[in-house]
Amino acid sequence: MVKLSPSILAADFTRLGESCAAVLDAGADMLHIDVMDGAFVPNISLGVPVLAALSAHLPAFYDVHLMIRHPLQYVKPFCDAGASLLTFHLEAESDPWRTIRAIHAAGCRAGMSIRPATPPGAVFPYLGELELVLVMSVEPGFGGQKFMPQAAEKIAAIRAEALRRGLAPEIEVDGGINLSTAPLCTNAGADVLVAGSAVFRAPDPAGAIAALRTACGAGGA
């Protein structure tokens, strides 16, 4: 069954814990935490203290996406703060192999993300060490962007290479996910969908999650 990872960037920050709890109760599988430094991407979001506060009071699988220039130096702080999965960008300035090893040493699952301009083959050398690959279907930095259709081709290429090598990392897609684009991604081989406004700002989050799963042919929540 497809997994839903709602991005808390779309949550109500005046009542963040309550808002996150509501989408988990509505059937979300995990919470997607977007971390931006204003340097790797042109936006600044939240950091270690927010994750620590959430994880201390709200048991969940925390899917943390580091959109920052130097992910290696922040691996331990985010893992200690409650990250379950820590995803960093291949295009960042930290050495990818050292970053993956540090994530595993800190007790987290390791994910690698690629921006829209990065070819899928760039992640192939790392597939054997990753629990997840995140394909960005928009330029990272801001929510509400339009889905880039070429993301489905990249998902399919990564899935094919993983299958060829007998590997089974999860493939996640982030950006512009809705009832029309979600099936394109899952049909190409994606396992995890990041959706922000489509879930957090829906009048009925449970209905929105069920509708996304149904659109992907995975049944209700």
Side-chain angles (χ1 to χ4, degrees), residues 67-175:
M67 290 176 271
I68 62 178
R69 287 176 61 188
H70 303 288
L72 180 57
Q73 70 188 76
Y74 290 98
V75 166
K76 192 172 188 307
F78 274 102
C79 290
D80 288 348
S84 308
L85 166 74
L86 202 59
T87 298
F88 69 99
H89 272 264
L90 175 60
E91 306 90 353
E93 295 179 23
S94 297
D95 176 79
W97 293 112
R98 288 183 62 200
T99 305
I100 293 169
R101 288 195 295 269
I103 292 170
H104 287 151
C108 284
R109 300 183 193 184
M112 178 179 284
S113 182
I114 52 173
R115 303 177 86 144
T118 301
V123 303
F124 289 179
Y126 308 98
L127 285 178
E129 302 299 322
L130 297 169
E131 281 73 46
L132 180 137
V133 176
L134 169 54
V135 174
M136 293 299 301
S137 46
V138 298
E139 282 296 337
F142 293 92
Q145 298 180 64
K146 187 176 179 181
F147 178 85
M148 296 180 178
Q150 61 266 35
E153 299 172 12
K154 293 170 75 170
I155 292 165
I158 294 166
R159 177 58 68 209
E161 176 65 10
L163 288 172
R164 186 187 72 80
R165 293 167 55 185
L167 303 171
E170 289 189 305
I171 299 177
E172 183 175 58
V173 59
D174 183 357

Side-chain angles (χ1 to χ4, degrees), residues 18-47:
E18 187 180 335
S19 188
C20 290
V23 300
L24 292 169
D25 290 343
D29 299 284
M30 59 190 82
L31 292 171
H32 191 81
I33 313 295
D34 287 306
V35 179
M36 297 180 266
D37 64 358
F40 182 75
V41 293
N43 198 4
I44 295 173
S45 62
L46 46 83

Side-chain angles (χ1 to χ4, degrees), residues 2-8 20 23-24 27-33 60-64 84-85 109 132 170 172 191-195 200 209 213:
V2 64
K3 296 179 182 178
L4 274 296
S5 184
S7 170
I8 73 166
C20 290
V23 300
L24 292 169
D29 299 284
M30 59 190 82
L31 292 171
H32 191 81
I33 313 295
F61 186 98
Y62 286 95
D63 170 22
V64 179
S84 308
L85 166 74
R109 300 183 193 184
L132 180 137
E170 289 189 305
E172 183 175 58
D191 309 284
V192 186
L193 304 178
V194 177
F200 270 105
I209 288 171
R213 287 202 169 108

